[in-house]
Amino acid sequence: MIQEGNLANFRKSYEKGVISDNFKHFSPFYIFQKWFEEAVEDKHIIEPNAMTLSTISSENCPKSRIVLLKKFDLDGFTFFTNYNSTKGKSIQNNNNVCLNFYWPSLEKQIIVIGNANRIPQKESDDYFNSRPHGSQIGAIVSKQSEVIDSREFLERKFIELNDYYTKIKPKRPKNWGGYLVKPNSFEFWQGRKNRLHDRLEFIYEGNTWTSNRLSP
Ligand SMILES: Cc1cc2nc3c(=O)[nH]c(=O)nc-3n(C[C@H](O)[C@H](O)[C@H](O)COP(=O)(O)O)c2cc1C
């Protein structure tokens, strides 16, 4: 039982890994790939590709929410969403975004800051066409982030469109697709003993990546 909401004794010691000094010489993309592979192999992590995406609205208000990473390569990080959603509108106004991966069982956090841009329509089509039928209908049904009357409204629309699309193949709505986040900084965090955590940042400046160890 939590006493009067006091969480002062919620403490754990972090001892699962290290970031040695020679990591400084690696590419941040390589380190991301290696850590991601570790997360995929860890049976405690159900969705290793779930990441927190933070955006800034036109009123300069931040908002964070989870989205799923669907592709990672040297160009950056791709996720899919509705371009007319709250996040889509925020990115339209200011494409500086932050991605955060936290894998508690590995005591690892990765923070990526970069610029989000829509991927080519053909790539969004290809991904949309690869999705299960129900998810395709769901994307067509949902005007993501808009106010709706009831759950029933959604269910009814789903049934209607599901019937309609038994004869024809669902097509990607133009307002649904991918964003590629091109990183300009990475921070790798590994929990360590006595709160002396390891933090290694990489910054892209003047066409090259430079790295620094940060104080925990
Ligand atoms: C595990 C998980 C995965 C999610 N994946 C996505 C996703 O890939 N794309 C997406 O648009 N929303 C995804 N969502 C829903 C978002 O968190 C959010 O509710 C939605 O995108 C609307 O956000 P917005 O109104 O800020 O634009 C996911 C939520 C969770 C909890």
Side-chain angles (χ1 to χ4, degrees):
M1 175 96 165
I2 299 167
Q3 293 294 315
E4 292 165 14
N6 187 346
L7 309 180
N9 289 325
F10 277 43
R11 267 191 205 103
K12 85 187 265 295
S13 184
Y14 301 106
E15 304 182 5
K16 298 236 168 101
V18 300
I19 301 178
S20 54
D21 282 330
N22 65 342
F23 270 51
K24 275 206 306 221
H25 309 296
F26 295 161
S27 148
F29 294 90
Y30 173 80
I31 303 174
F32 181 86
Q33 177 76 34
K34 288 283 152 213
W35 281 26
F36 188 75
E37 281 167 14
E38 241 184 275
V40 169
E41 275 156 31
D42 187 325
K43 63 178 185 329
H44 297 108
I45 303 175
I46 298 160
E47 282 190 302
N49 60 330
M51 57 186 187
T52 302
L53 163 76
S54 302
T55 54
I56 308 159
S57 74
S58 52
E59 286 85 37
N60 283 328
C61 187
K63 182 179 176 186
S64 302
R65 79 290 278 160
I66 304 282
V67 292
L68 295 178
L69 177 68
K70 288 292 170 175
K71 187 177 166 193
F72 165 72
D73 60 20
L74 291 176
D75 290 330
F77 300 78
T78 301
F79 65 91
F80 290 84
T81 193
N82 187 310
Y83 291 139
N84 294 337
S85 63
T86 301
K87 75 181 89 49
K89 287 178 180 151
S90 293
I91 292 170
Q92 185 74 25
N93 178 63
N94 180 345
N95 78 346
N96 289 308
V97 300
C98 181
L99 305 175
N100 186 303
F101 296 83
Y102 173 46
W103 298 310
S105 55
L106 296 174
E107 300 170 351
K108 283 175 164 49
Q109 170 182 237
I110 304 176
I111 303 169
V112 176
I113 298 172
N115 298 105
N117 287 294
R118 292 183 189 192
I119 64 173
Q121 298 203 19
K122 163 84 174 67
E123 285 176 31
S124 289
D125 287 338
D126 290 346
Y127 176 68
F128 183 83
N129 293 336
S130 77
R131 299 183 88 204
H133 183 79
S135 308
Q136 292 177 332
I137 307 296
I140 298 171
V141 165
S142 171
K143 294 191 168 148
Q144 195 178 51
S145 313
E146 284 194 11
V147 174
I148 48 174
D149 276 348
S150 62
R151 173 80 207 175
E152 199 218 328
F153 166 82
L154 270 187
E155 306 270 0
R156 213 174 341 106
K157 233 172 128 191
F158 185 92
I159 291 168
E160 275 167 30
L161 285 173
N162 207 25
D163 283 351
Y164 177 72
Y165 284 112
T166 45
K167 291 159 214 112
I168 40 172
K169 208 168 136 254
K171 252 183 90 180
R172 175 181 70 86
K174 289 284 169 256
N175 61 341
W176 189 96
Y179 283 104
L180 170 70
V181 178
K182 198 174 164 47
N184 46 49
S185 88
F186 285 82
E187 183 191 319
F188 297 92
W189 182 97
Q190 177 71 59
R192 298 291 306 270
K193 237 177 149 169
N194 302 319
R195 298 299 183 260
L196 294 181
H197 312 304
D198 285 330
R199 295 175 66 196
L200 186 61
E201 90 173 350
F202 289 83
I203 297 177
Y204 193 65
E205 270 171 340
N207 274 340
T208 102
W209 286 96
T210 53
S211 57
N212 300 295
R213 181 177 282 275
L214 302 178
S215 179

